[in-house]
Amino acid sequence: GAGVSQTPSNKVTEKGKYVELRCDPISGHTALYWYRQSLGQGPEFLIYFQGTGAADDSGLPNDRFFAVRPEGSVSTLKIQRTERGDSAVYLCASSLTPTGRGGYNEQFFGPGTRLTVL
Amino acid sequence: GESVGLHLPTLSVQEGDNSIINCAYSNSASDYFIWYKQESGKGPQFIIDIRSNMDKRQGQRVTVLLNKTVKHLSLQIAATQPGDSAVYFCAENNERGGSEKLVFGKGTKLTVNP
């Protein structure tokens, strides 16, 4: 079946520009997560949605980062005034129910969007 | 604070040998520990998880060991194959703390030589 998909797969932008990264979770998955992975590092948590609401946005590095999930399915990660330090792979994951509720619920990851800020 | 790390950044083994990948963690409140495999250009793929009240769990060709006394986690891969070459991450989840996120370590790159 279809897994988590992310578009675009690659995005090159200039410093100061605005970018949007899209995530299509597995159909029926209520929980959606965004992570950021720098070269040679493990993924770092950014934000978690349960349904339409952002239940935990503690990982967003600053107010230039924002994410939405208006209909409880597709999510968009938005980055304003991009900086070179934002260059990374942005990973999206989804799980059927929130991870950890009544047992570990696997987070299924998409292939990521590689963002390069010049 | 929370941190999950790895002892070795790289591991090279011969095809058919057993592999052991190690991980140290510092958050004793974590409920679950999970191993993910990440191939180049792909997202992490779930391998196996273990709950904090267990010390061993086996899957297909993989075994995870949890030593809470020394806060150590290991992944054992039996009869390692070339397709096992990837970066392996341990991660933890703190359900009791109300957190849904995974905290990942830096990863170990496993190379399987034919």
Side-chain angles (χ1 to χ4, degrees):
Chain A
V4 177
S5 62
Q6 293 185 244
T7 54
S9 56
N10 281 283
K11 177 69 177 178
V12 180
T13 191
E14 294 179 342
K15 179 176 178 294
K17 299 291 187 182
Y18 168 83
V19 297
E20 289 189 352
L21 311 179
R22 177 187 168 108
C23 172
D24 284 80
I26 295 173
S27 178
H29 280 196
T30 64
L32 185 145
Y33 313 79
W34 283 98
Y35 293 82
R36 178 168 70 173
Q37 186 174 26
S38 300
L39 189 64
Q41 303 293 317
E44 288 182 289
F45 171 79
L46 295 176
I47 187 170
Y48 150 64
F49 288 89
Q50 174 55 31
T52 60
D56 181 357
D57 64 358
S58 63
L60 295 178
N62 52 59
D63 61 7
R64 295 187 298 105
F65 289 75
F66 189 72
V68 296
R69 194 186 185 200
E71 297 179 357
S73 179
V74 170
S75 177
T76 304
L77 178 65
K78 308 181 181 191
I79 311 174
Q80 299 177 321
R81 304 183 303 280
T82 51
E83 300 178 356
R84 293 192 178 89
D86 298 335
S87 296
V89 174
Y90 288 81
L91 293 164
C92 177
S94 69
S95 64
L96 185 60
T97 57
T99 294
R101 299 280 173 84
Y104 177 66
N105 294 300
E106 180 183 344
Q107 291 187 20
F108 293 84
F109 283 81
T113 294
R114 180 175 297 278
L115 175 66
T116 303
V117 182
L118 301 176
Chain B
E2 294 179 344
S3 70
V4 178
L6 296 176
H7 293 306
L8 297 173
T10 61
L11 177 64
S12 184
V13 300
Q14 291 298 122
E15 182 178 358
D17 287 352
N18 296 332
S19 302
I20 299 176
I21 300 172
N22 297 302
C23 177
Y25 66 93
S26 61
N27 187 359
S28 57
S30 291
D31 302 289
Y32 287 94
F33 300 89
I34 309 102
W35 283 98
Y36 275 88
K37 171 187 180 183
Q38 187 173 28
E39 297 173 287
S40 181
K42 297 183 179 180
Q45 178 184 9
F46 173 86
I47 301 173
I48 191 169
D49 67 280
I50 187 168
R51 191 161 189 162
S52 59
N53 62 356
M54 301 171 64
D55 53 21
K56 180 179 181 179
R57 190 174 187 201
Q58 289 186 296
Q60 187 176 12
R61 282 202 306 118
V62 295
T63 300
V64 56
L65 299 177
L66 176 62
N67 186 330
K68 293 181 288 292
T69 301
V70 295
K71 296 180 181 175
H72 184 267
L73 187 70
S74 70
L75 177 70
Q76 301 178 0
I77 305 173
T80 314
Q81 303 169 359
D84 295 328
S85 294
V87 177
Y88 289 80
F89 294 96
C90 64
E92 59 181 325
N93 171 246
N94 182 6
E95 172 197 12
R96 286 175 295 173
S99 174
E100 304 294 343
K101 66 183 180 183
L102 295 177
V103 177
F104 284 84
K106 290 186 178 180
T108 293
K109 183 177 181 180
L110 175 66
T111 301
V112 182
N113 302 308

